[in-house]
Amino acid sequence: MTTPSFAELDALPTEVLRERAFAKAREHHDVKFYWSVLQHLPDADEAASLDGAPNSIGPTVDEAVALFRELDGRDLGEQEPLLRAAFIDYLGRQ
């Protein structure tokens, strides 16, 4: 399987890039990629602002899951160019 070129990836809609990047991350069990994407979502600041107390892990996970679900079929607004670049970069790696 060959790695697609930047031009090929850049020609794709953001939603297609997201689907392909997520499929690749699932295949490789790449939690680091998912976490980096979550940190760029508009509501990520709320999830990160929890106090870090031992009992706050539940809300942190809940917030992360909620943010992740927001990516599906959602207008990404101002974050779209950044997320799009992240998807292209990830898909361009072997």
Side-chain angles (χ1 to χ4, degrees), residues 6 19-20 22 24 27 35 37 51 55 61-62 72 77:
F6 173 82
E19 289 171 3
R20 290 185 182 184
F22 281 22
K24 180 180 177 180
E27 181 181 329
W35 190 249
V37 168
D51 63 6
N55 63 349
V61 171
D62 291 344
D72 192 25

Side-chain angles (χ1 to χ4, degrees), residues 27-39:
E27 181 181 329
H28 296 282
H29 307 283
D30 192 349
V31 175
K32 185 177 176 181
F33 170 74
Y34 286 118
W35 190 249
S36 71
V37 168
L38 288 174
Q39 292 176 324

Side-chain angles (χ1 to χ4, degrees), residues 43-52 60:
D43 297 329
D45 290 339
E46 288 180 25
S49 68
L50 296 172
D51 63 6
T60 302

